[in-house]
Amino acid sequence: MSTDDLPETFHVTTDEQLRAVSNLTRHRIMAVLRFEPATITQIAERVGLAKGSSSYHVRLLERAGLVKVVRTRKVRGVTERYYAMAARGIVLPDPGEGGPDVLMRHAVADLEAAPAESDRHVRMAHLRLTEEQFAELGARLEALADEYRELSDPSLPDASLVFALFHPAPRQQAEGDAK
């Protein structure tokens, strides 16, 4: 099964689904399954987990509808299941004002866990944009991410792209929160 056969998006709508994607280990498992199906053993090896832990997390993701079994095969009398993402992308609900942004927290954790000597491009820029420029930049970033996602080859090493374009809290509110 290729990722071309998957629905474009899966909308997280239930508390069970939100709890499933909020866990960093399950986030990393979903990253493994993003481009190609894998067995529990393969997932455990890629994520660095024991098979039992890997199985537990995959079952929670499956129960939440985020991953699914896409094929099975018999190996020495045991049924081996191959899991894949249920959709190409996951859409999370808006965390609400002051709520944690799960994706950004996972991205920062992944960045911090990446080998220090690995190639990385990290940059923060403060901009002053019109609403039109803000919308255009957001659309261009999304299009660029989509373009490179289409070019992704499962045989190549993983790379993560994370971006956040947002209007920060007004200065007086941010300063007041810090006191």
Side-chain angles (χ1 to χ4, degrees), residues 89-126:
I90 296 172
V91 178
L92 297 177
D94 185 340
E97 192 172 330
D101 190 307
V102 172
L103 290 179
M104 276 299 145
R105 288 183 182 202
H106 290 335
V108 168
D110 284 346
L111 177 62
E112 290 171 343
E117 68 279 357
S118 66
D119 285 339
R120 50 172 107 189
H121 304 273
V122 179
R123 179 166 182 206
M124 181 173 186
H126 296 280

Side-chain angles (χ1 to χ4, degrees), residues 64-137:
L66 295 157
V67 303
K68 61 184 181 177
V69 175
V70 293
R71 80 175 176 260
T72 60
R73 69 179 192 147
K74 287 278 190 188
V75 177
R76 292 185 289 276
V78 176
T79 301
E80 190 172 61
R81 292 176 180 84
Y82 284 80
Y83 295 88
M85 293 296 299
R88 292 176 61 147
I90 296 172
V91 178
L92 297 177
D94 185 340
E97 192 172 330
D101 190 307
V102 172
L103 290 179
M104 276 299 145
R105 288 183 182 202
H106 290 335
V108 168
D110 284 346
L111 177 62
E112 290 171 343
E117 68 279 357
S118 66
D119 285 339
R120 50 172 107 189
H121 304 273
V122 179
R123 179 166 182 206
M124 181 173 186
H126 296 280
L127 311 170
R128 293 203 172 186
L129 305 171
T130 65
E131 284 304 314
E132 183 179 282
Q133 291 169 324
F134 183 90
E136 178 188 346
L137 180 56

Side-chain angles (χ1 to χ4, degrees), residues 10-163:
F10 179 96
H11 291 266
V12 171
T13 57
T14 69
D15 287 342
E16 178 185 27
Q17 292 165 344
L18 192 55
R19 277 191 303 275
V21 298
S22 295
N23 178 278
L24 182 58
T25 298
R26 291 190 285 274
H27 160 79
R28 289 178 174 158
I29 289 170
M30 289 186 292
V32 167
L33 300 175
R34 182 88 46 224
F35 295 108
E36 61 186 341
T39 65
I40 294 294
T41 301
Q42 292 166 335
I43 293 166
E45 289 170 359
R46 291 274 311 273
V47 179
L49 288 175
K51 280 175 52 175
S53 293
S54 180
S55 178
Y56 167 78
H57 288 290
V58 169
R59 276 196 318 272
L60 289 177
L61 289 167
E62 184 180 22
R63 201 172 328 153
L66 295 157
V67 303
K68 61 184 181 177
V69 175
V70 293
R71 80 175 176 260
T72 60
R73 69 179 192 147
K74 287 278 190 188
V75 177
R76 292 185 289 276
V78 176
T79 301
E80 190 172 61
R81 292 176 180 84
Y82 284 80
Y83 295 88
M85 293 296 299
R88 292 176 61 147
I90 296 172
V91 178
L92 297 177
D94 185 340
E97 192 172 330
D101 190 307
V102 172
L103 290 179
M104 276 299 145
R105 288 183 182 202
H106 290 335
V108 168
D110 284 346
L111 177 62
E112 290 171 343
E117 68 279 357
S118 66
D119 285 339
R120 50 172 107 189
H121 304 273
V122 179
R123 179 166 182 206
M124 181 173 186
H126 296 280
L127 311 170
R128 293 203 172 186
L129 305 171
T130 65
E131 284 304 314
E132 183 179 282
Q133 291 169 324
F134 183 90
E136 178 188 346
L137 180 56
R140 287 175 63 190
L141 290 169
E142 288 179 15
L144 189 61
D146 290 343
E147 176 185 338
Y148 275 85
R149 183 178 67 182
E150 293 298 322
L151 296 174
S152 292
D153 179 342
S155 68
L156 297 175
D158 290 342
S160 292
L161 170 67
V162 179
F163 64 87

